[in-house]
Amino acid sequence: MAKLNNYFRDTIEEMRYNVTWPSTTELQKSAGLVLIGSLVFAAVVGLMDVSFNTALNAFYQTFAR
């Protein structure tokens, strides 16, 4: 049990004194980049979905007649 207590004590000390936390401005910029990247990725996947759906429907209609 002492090892576990030492682990948590050392972890808290590390987080308080040795970790360099980003500023609010840096966090906002990073969050904006993640949001823009996610939207671009979603748009690309959406376009791929629509194009594959259109191509497969055209393919199926060719053989359904």
Side-chain angles (χ1 to χ4, degrees):
M1 194 65 170
K3 286 184 178 182
L4 187 62
N5 285 337
N6 285 337
Y7 170 76
F8 283 117
R9 189 177 305 118
D10 290 344
T11 301
I12 290 169
E13 183 178 325
E14 180 86 17
M15 296 294 277
R16 273 192 193 154
Y17 302 113
N18 297 336
V19 173
T20 303
W21 297 99
S23 67
T24 304
T25 305
E26 290 173 332
L27 286 175
Q28 288 174 343
K29 287 179 183 178
S30 296
L33 286 174
V34 169
L35 178 64
I36 290 169
S38 297
L39 291 174
V40 167
F41 184 74
V44 168
V45 170
L47 288 172
M48 288 173 56
D49 182 45
V50 168
S51 64
F52 285 137
N53 187 28
T54 303
L56 285 175
N57 281 337
F59 179 76
Y60 293 146
Q61 291 299 322
T62 302
F63 293 107
R65 294 180 185 163

